[in-house]
């Protein structure tokens, strides 16, 4: 029976164990370029089987947070190359999470321009930007601009360009951020997408057209086995309303990803928080449908995972890899702690975003 500490081969990439460090924005890069501290943070956590980097904006317009490192300039590519080198020196593997926030942004992050989205309707959500006093804080997202058809195509190209940079920076692959109410979901959701062009919400194919173009551009710049997609069905984060065809939309998308022979689908299960009410049984039933729709690649699930739940899902054959987010913040040696039954530290939420070393690289390994 598989368990968390077993090795795994992800589309030809050997992983030391089945524990994935889930992507986490930490907002420690004021100039948007990864630095020595970034490299140290990831090096400390490289015993994860696979690290998925924090969300990395694919262009200037993709950004929705202060201090987030991007992947659209030569300096950023160079900065990331030190991160990937550090992780590889420790024997780890790392994918870059390619991110466009869409309307979950603020014009003061975008040189006064309106955030780009599938719609011109403002999201009822907060973003990490400058407040009225010019201080960093969480502020209401501002009114977006509904992208023109050409802008939609260009944005899909931006993902491909960033994916090429990721590979040149030494990443083992890329994860497309299709979760948490950001741009890709703003196209997929028929209650947010109010377009009338071929990327509109008239049919399911239209709603999925943009995300699949992004996938195809990214695959063209890398290889199918180097690409994963993160999804959060039933997630309410960033003002995503529920709709009748939600489950079928995701299953249809996942079938299309299987046709493209991608490395993995990464599900963020928000059912413990603001997502679907309930219920382990329902989640497992959905995971079975995902397995059926995606028989060739790996399935990752993240969201309040524990050793016990992770092993249970692996042993049921429902997932191949298990993602842990917050536990990796105060426990850089999370894998060893879980393996030996050592106590887990609790993270300090006040240092999740912004600042320097504190709450970032100053959590020690277990001292015994
Ligand atoms: C500080 C913080 C930043 C996060 N940033 C991202 C991100 O950039 N991209 C993403 O897909 N999810 C992000 N998440 C969600 C995590 O990847 C993960 O799915 C979530 O924390 C649930 O897993 P956990 O209960 O193990 O923490 C973030 C979560 C936290 C706590």
């Amino acid at each position: 029976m598989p368990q968390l500490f077993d090795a795994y081969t992800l589309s030809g990439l050997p992983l030391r164990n089945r524990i994935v460090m889930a992507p986490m924005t930490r907002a420690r890069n004021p100039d948007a370029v990864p630095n020595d501290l970034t490299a140290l943070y990831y090096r400390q956590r490289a015993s994860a089987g696979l690290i998925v980097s924090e969300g990395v904006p694919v262009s200037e317009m993709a950004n929705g947070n202060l201090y987030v490192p991007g992947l659209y300039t030569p300096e950023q590519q160079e900065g990331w190359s030190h991160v990937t080198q550090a992780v590889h020196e420790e024997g780890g593997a790392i994918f870059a999470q390619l991110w466009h926030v869409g309307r979950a942004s603020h014009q003061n992050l975008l040189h006064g321009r309106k955030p780009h989205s599938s719609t011109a309707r403002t999201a009822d959500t907060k973003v990490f930007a400058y407040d009225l006093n010019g201080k960093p804080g969480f502020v209401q997202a501002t009114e977006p601009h509904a992208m023109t058809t050409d802008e939609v195509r260009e944005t899909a190209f931006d993902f491909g360009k960033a994916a090429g940079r990721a590979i040149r920076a030494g990443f083992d692959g890329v994860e497309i951020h299709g979760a948490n109410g950001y741009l890709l979901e703003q196209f997929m959701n028929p209650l947010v997408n109010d377009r009338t062009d071929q990327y509109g919400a008239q049919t399911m194919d239209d709603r999925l057209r943009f995300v699949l173009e992004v996938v195809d551009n990214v695959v063209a710049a890398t290889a199918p086995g180097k690409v994963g997609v993160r999804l959060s069905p039933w997630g309410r984060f960033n003002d995503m309303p529920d709709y009748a065809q939600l489950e079928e939309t995701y299953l249809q998308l996942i079938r299309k990803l299987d046709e493209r022979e991608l490395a993995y689908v990464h599900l963020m299960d928000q059912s413990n928080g603001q997502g679907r009410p309930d219920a382990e049984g329902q989640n497992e039933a959905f995971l079975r449908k995902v397995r059926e729709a995606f028989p060739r690649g790996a399935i990752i699930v993240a969201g309040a995972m524990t050793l016990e739940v992770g092993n249970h899902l692996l042993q049921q054959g429902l997932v191949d890899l298990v993602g842990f987010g917050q536990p990796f913040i105060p426990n850089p040696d999370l894998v060893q702690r879980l393996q030996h039954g050592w106590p887990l530290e609790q993270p300090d939420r006040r240092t999740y975003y912004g600042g320097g070393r504190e709450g970032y690289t100053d959590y020690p390994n277990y001292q015994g």
Side-chain angles (χ1 to χ4, degrees):
M1 293 244 263
Q3 52 145 338
L4 280 176
F5 308 109
D6 294 344
Y8 183 76
T9 305
L10 179 66
S11 294
L13 177 69
L15 308 181
R16 285 188 293 197
N17 55 64
R18 292 170 179 248
I19 295 176
V20 176
M21 177 172 157
M24 281 181 290
T25 296
R26 302 305 312 278
R28 296 297 205 281
N29 301 87
D31 59 356
V33 178
N35 55 33
D36 290 350
L37 208 57
T38 326
L40 176 61
Y41 168 73
Y42 286 105
R43 181 192 288 278
Q44 290 171 336
R45 289 159 181 77
S47 56
L50 175 69
I51 293 175
V52 182
S53 81
E54 60 206 281
V56 174
V58 297
S59 67
E60 263 196 333
M61 286 308 292
N63 186 24
N65 282 268
L66 285 171
Y67 315 145
V68 165
L71 197 38
Y72 49 87
T73 70
E75 294 73 26
Q76 292 167 337
Q77 183 182 317
E78 163 72 14
W80 281 115
S81 72
H82 298 288
V83 173
T84 61
Q85 190 185 342
V87 171
H88 291 150
E89 279 171 7
E90 303 299 325
I94 181 166
F95 274 39
Q97 192 187 47
L98 303 183
W99 191 21
H100 193 309
V101 302
R103 66 177 183 162
S105 190
H106 191 289
Q107 61 193 35
N108 76 21
L109 297 167
L110 305 170
H111 307 292
R113 285 170 291 178
K114 288 183 173 180
H116 280 181
S117 182
S118 59
T119 175
R121 286 176 295 151
T122 307
D124 179 12
T125 194
K126 296 251 190 305
V127 301
F128 185 54
Y130 293 115
D131 65 19
L132 286 175
N133 303 317
K135 289 222 172 86
F138 283 88
V139 296
Q140 166 61 41
T142 53
E143 188 190 347
H145 153 71
M147 295 154 84
T148 65
T149 305
D150 281 347
E151 285 168 342
V152 176
R153 288 203 197 97
E154 280 161 28
T155 303
F157 279 122
D158 287 339
F159 275 87
K161 281 188 261 175
R165 282 196 187 277
I167 298 301
R168 292 195 291 282
F171 281 102
D172 298 292
V174 296
E175 174 175 293
I176 297 167
H177 196 343
N180 298 351
Y182 294 114
L183 185 64
L184 272 54
E185 241 194 296
Q186 293 161 26
F187 276 83
M188 284 156 58
N189 189 313
L191 301 181
V192 174
N193 181 342
D194 53 6
R195 310 176 65 80
T196 52
D197 64 0
Q198 67 268 39
Y199 299 100
Q202 281 71 21
T203 66
M204 195 183 292
D205 282 347
D206 286 351
R207 285 190 282 122
L208 294 179
R209 193 177 312 283
F210 176 57
V211 50
L212 290 170
E213 276 191 23
V214 167
V215 169
D216 290 338
N217 279 308
V218 167
V219 167
T222 57
K226 290 186 182 296
V227 179
V229 177
R230 192 170 216 218
L231 301 170
S232 53
W234 292 284
R236 297 279 79 83
F237 187 56
N238 280 322
D239 199 11
M240 281 293 125
D242 200 355
Y243 54 96
Q245 278 188 303
L246 188 148
E247 178 170 306
E248 186 44 32
T249 299
Y250 279 94
L251 292 174
Q252 176 69 1
L253 172 58
I254 291 168
R255 284 189 283 268
K256 300 277 183 194
L257 300 180
D258 186 68
E259 282 171 16
R260 287 159 169 82
E261 302 188 36
L262 297 198
Y264 67 78
V265 167
H266 184 174
L267 297 169
M268 180 179 165
D269 178 0
Q270 297 187 352
S271 53
N272 292 309
Q274 27 189 344
R276 187 164 49 159
D278 171 293
E280 274 177 41
Q282 277 188 35
N283 290 343
E284 292 196 6
F286 179 66
L287 284 174
R288 262 185 212 99
K289 293 181 196 171
V290 172
R291 182 65 94 188
E292 218 169 276
F294 196 70
R296 287 185 273 202
I299 297 169
I300 309 176
V301 75
M305 285 293 138
T306 60
L307 176 69
E308 291 73 23
V309 175
N311 274 333
H312 170 76
L313 292 172
L314 284 175
Q315 285 156 17
Q316 297 295 307
L318 294 170
V319 306
D320 303 287
L321 299 165
V322 178
F324 291 80
Q326 290 156 96
F328 264 108
I329 292 178
N331 303 289
D333 54 345
L334 180 67
V335 173
Q336 291 73 20
R337 290 187 192 229
L338 291 176
Q339 194 157 17
H340 298 293
W342 296 336
L344 298 186
E345 294 298 323
Q346 294 306 311
D348 179 356
R349 290 173 164 272
R350 291 169 307 177
T351 53
Y352 274 7
Y353 305 103
R357 286 167 196 279
E358 194 198 345
Y360 188 51
T361 54
D362 61 352
Y363 288 110
N365 286 346
Y366 180 59
Q367 303 295 313

